[in-house]
Amino acid sequence: METQYINRISATLSLSVNQVKNVAQLHSEGSTVPFISRYRKEATGNMDEVQVNNVIEQIEYFEDLKKRKETVLKTIEAAGKLDDALRSRIENCYDTTTLEDIYLPYKPKRKTRALAAMEKGLEGLANLIFDQRCTDPSAEANAFLNAEVADINAALQGARDIIAERVAENEEARNLVRTAFDKEARLYSKVINGKKDTEEAQKFRDYFEWEEPLASCPSHRLLAIRRGEKEGFLSMDIRIETEPVVEGLKKIFIKAKSNCGEEMILAIEDAYDRLLKSSIENEYRLISKSGADEDAIKVFAENLKQLLLSSPLGSKRILALDPGFRSGCKLVCLDEQGGLVYNTNIYPHPPQQHIAESIGTLKDLVEKYNIEAIGIGNGTAGRETESLIRSIDFGRKINIYQVNESGASIYSASQVARDEFPDQDVTVRGAVSIGRRLLDPLSELVKIDAKS
């Protein structure tokens, strides 16, 4: 990795240059974060795994940036527009957003209104107006009339299209709009016409008419609104006040009150409404989604960590239930090692509602297999099943637990489950998983993907 990036990472993360350089070398050789943090402490200066991971993330960021710089330089050079000053700006850029802003005026474009106007020979008129070097733009426009530009209004419109694109691609202008989005962007959502009364849309009803500052919108709400937009029930918009931003843009580009200035005002307003707003809004849609995704991943990781590190109940005889209404509750008895010793179904809930028979079965099994604890899945009919079991007098104290059954159905249909219980139905395997999660959560949960 190049020295300029090593120095940048060192300054950003408050680490020595040698620490960053050694991690970069080890990473390039294929060493993993656990290996580097555990077995190469002498090279990293006792950096922990979080510091090592932070350095590697920065390394990968700058490697991607370097590749992008190479593409940008080649493209601009091929267009014959690369000079020493521009090359220096690109080579000394350390931020992706800034690099893209530098590249934007030189980026190959699809057919735009500005490009069409240039092809009609109106760039000279645009230059006169943009530099505000003329007193009467209409009079100057006469010189640019041709077979494709029939009148003065068409010429002025084409010139404004060219200017609008220049304004939208100007770094200072884009940063001004970004600053406004940073400070005051508001998130709006509303229901799509004709979808409000549909059953599928009701899960998004809280956001049928919603508005709040983007900066304070919690990640779960932003992701819910985006999901509603993706599924076609909501429209989402990020807005700022137009007038202050347009006034700020005028201060950047308008040099004096004049007829050219009036044309510039029209071009600036068009640039913001048609080009700048949508471009920066798309940036902030991506930025806010990335932030929300990171927050969601952190919450998921913390919840998963707590689940995996749940205290094991230990060697106990377990009766586990996978609750249900119509299909009944699948019931299994496990020995102290989690081995399956018995399974059956009970139907205490509607529509069958065999309450007395179900209670009798539960009492018999608790007595017969000397059950010490009961685990109940927390899915469908979980609360009703727990309420029923807590109402039963087993003649001695039996501890009753709600068990998180997320992913139990995934396990039940997996190859691991088939290998463990080749002769059992998926419902039995799911109930066994619930019981084993009570005995030793970690050893059972590692059998399925974390996402499940």
Side-chain angles (χ1 to χ4, degrees):
M1 169 162 271
E2 294 178 17
T3 302
Q4 61 173 329
Y5 299 129
I6 296 286
N7 293 338
R8 191 82 178 183
I9 296 170
S10 171
T12 301
L13 300 179
S14 301
L15 296 168
S16 73
V17 170
N18 281 337
Q19 284 177 302
V20 177
K21 190 181 295 183
N22 290 341
V23 171
Q25 179 63 35
L26 290 164
H27 176 63
S28 69
E29 294 169 357
S31 298
T32 63
V33 171
F35 178 85
I36 296 170
S37 57
R38 183 166 184 175
Y39 298 112
R40 291 294 179 266
K41 288 184 177 293
E42 73 286 350
T44 66
N46 290 315
M47 288 167 60
D48 61 27
E49 72 281 0
V50 175
Q51 292 173 305
V52 172
N53 189 65
N54 289 341
V55 171
I56 290 175
E57 285 182 352
Q58 287 282 302
I59 289 168
E60 291 173 347
Y61 173 82
F62 283 119
E63 284 176 346
D64 290 341
L65 183 66
K66 181 182 176 182
K67 291 176 184 175
R68 183 60 177 160
K69 284 182 182 181
E70 291 170 356
T71 300
V72 168
L73 287 167
K74 286 178 182 177
T75 305
I76 298 175
E77 189 171 28
K81 297 180 179 179
L82 184 64
D83 56 29
D84 291 341
L86 183 56
R87 180 186 291 278
S88 177
R89 285 194 69 202
I90 293 169
E91 289 178 345
N92 292 296
C93 176
Y94 299 100
D95 178 72
T96 303
T97 301
T98 303
L99 177 64
E100 294 302 327
D101 280 352
I102 295 171
Y103 180 42
L104 191 58
Y106 310 97
K107 195 174 185 177
K109 299 178 179 68
R110 67 184 191 282
K111 190 68 172 282
T112 64
R113 282 166 51 172
L115 187 59
M118 289 179 192
E119 290 173 351
K120 293 175 184 177
L122 295 172
E123 189 170 10
L125 178 60
N127 291 339
L128 287 171
I129 296 172
F130 187 80
D131 296 334
Q132 293 158 65
R133 289 186 280 112
C134 63
T135 56
D136 188 354
S138 296
E140 298 288 348
N142 278 307
F144 294 89
L145 300 182
N146 54 46
E148 294 183 275
V149 184
D151 56 48
I152 290 173
N153 287 336
L156 291 173
Q157 179 61 62
R160 290 197 299 268
D161 288 341
I162 295 169
I163 294 168
E165 190 169 278
R166 287 184 189 174
V167 170
E169 293 175 348
N170 180 274
E171 287 180 63
E172 188 178 358
R174 294 179 74 81
N175 285 331
L176 183 145
V177 180
R178 284 192 189 104
T179 299
F181 269 82
D182 276 336
K183 291 180 178 178
E184 60 186 71
R186 297 186 70 82
L187 173 70
Y188 296 82
S189 73
K190 63 179 181 179
V191 66
I192 299 294
N193 288 337
K195 297 290 184 74
K196 183 175 182 178
D197 297 324
T198 62
E199 184 179 347
E200 296 89 345
Q202 293 309 303
K203 59 185 174 182
F204 302 110
R205 61 183 176 276
D206 291 343
Y207 310 118
F208 283 177
E209 288 291 337
W210 188 263
E211 173 191 350
E212 71 176 311
L214 179 63
S216 60
C217 180
S219 59
H220 67 85
R221 185 177 298 142
L222 179 67
L223 292 174
I225 291 172
R226 287 184 66 96
R227 189 164 58 251
E229 181 183 46
K230 184 177 180 180
E231 293 180 15
F233 300 112
L234 300 176
S235 65
M236 170 182 155
D237 193 15
I238 299 173
R239 300 180 215 152
I240 57 174
E241 289 292 328
T242 298
E243 188 174 339
V245 178
V246 172
E247 288 303 312
L249 293 172
K250 289 177 186 177
K251 289 177 182 178
I252 294 173
F253 295 102
I254 297 178
K255 300 172 182 177
K257 288 186 177 180
S258 65
N259 290 334
C260 278
E262 293 301 317
E263 293 295 325
M264 285 293 294
I265 289 173
L266 294 174
I268 288 167
E269 290 173 347
D270 177 48
Y272 179 74
D273 290 337
R274 182 168 57 87
L275 303 171
L276 260 176
K277 179 186 178 297
S278 59
S279 175
I280 304 301
E281 180 187 343
N282 286 338
E283 280 187 23
Y284 276 77
R285 285 175 73 98
L286 290 173
I287 290 168
S288 61
K289 182 182 184 303
S290 296
D293 284 342
E294 287 181 11
D295 288 344
I297 289 168
K298 287 176 184 175
V299 171
F300 175 87
E302 185 58 34
N303 290 343
L304 180 60
K305 179 181 178 182
Q306 297 303 319
L307 185 62
L308 292 173
L309 296 180
S310 299
S311 298
L313 189 63
S315 298
K316 305 283 185 184
R317 290 179 170 267
I318 300 291
L319 187 152
L321 295 102
D322 186 357
F325 287 112
R326 182 183 55 79
S327 58
C329 301
K330 175 55 68 176
L331 181 157
V332 297
C333 296
L334 308 178
D335 63 22
E336 293 90 336
Q337 286 74 45
L340 176 63
V341 294
Y342 183 78
N343 74 86
T344 188
N345 272 48
I346 58 174
Y347 299 90
H349 307 305
Q352 297 90 345
Q353 214 155 0
H354 299 160
I355 299 174
E357 182 181 332
S358 298
I359 290 174
T361 299
L362 288 163
K363 281 185 170 183
D364 290 344
L365 292 174
V366 166
E367 183 64 29
K368 180 177 180 180
Y369 293 103
N370 194 23
I371 296 299
E372 298 170 88
I374 297 176
I376 306 157
N378 66 346
T380 303
R383 283 180 293 181
E384 292 81 355
T385 304
E386 181 183 7
S387 178
L388 171 69
I389 291 176
R390 289 191 182 278
S391 71
I392 301 172
D393 180 8
F394 291 106
R396 56 188 171 86
K397 181 173 175 57
I398 303 289
N399 291 320
I400 300 167
Y401 302 91
Q402 275 268 356
V403 179
N404 188 324
E405 64 175 55
S406 297
S409 60
I410 302 295
Y411 161 78
S412 68
S414 69
Q415 185 62 49
V416 174
R418 289 195 294 274
D419 291 342
E420 287 189 286
F421 302 101
D423 301 324
Q424 298 296 344
D425 182 75
V426 289
T427 57
V428 175
R429 297 171 191 160
V432 170
S433 181
I434 290 170
R436 286 179 170 178
R437 291 175 185 208
L438 186 56
L439 280 173
D440 188 352
L442 184 57
S443 65
E444 188 64 22
L445 292 169
V446 294
K447 297 175 184 177
I448 58 175
D449 287 337
K451 67 183 179 182
S452 300

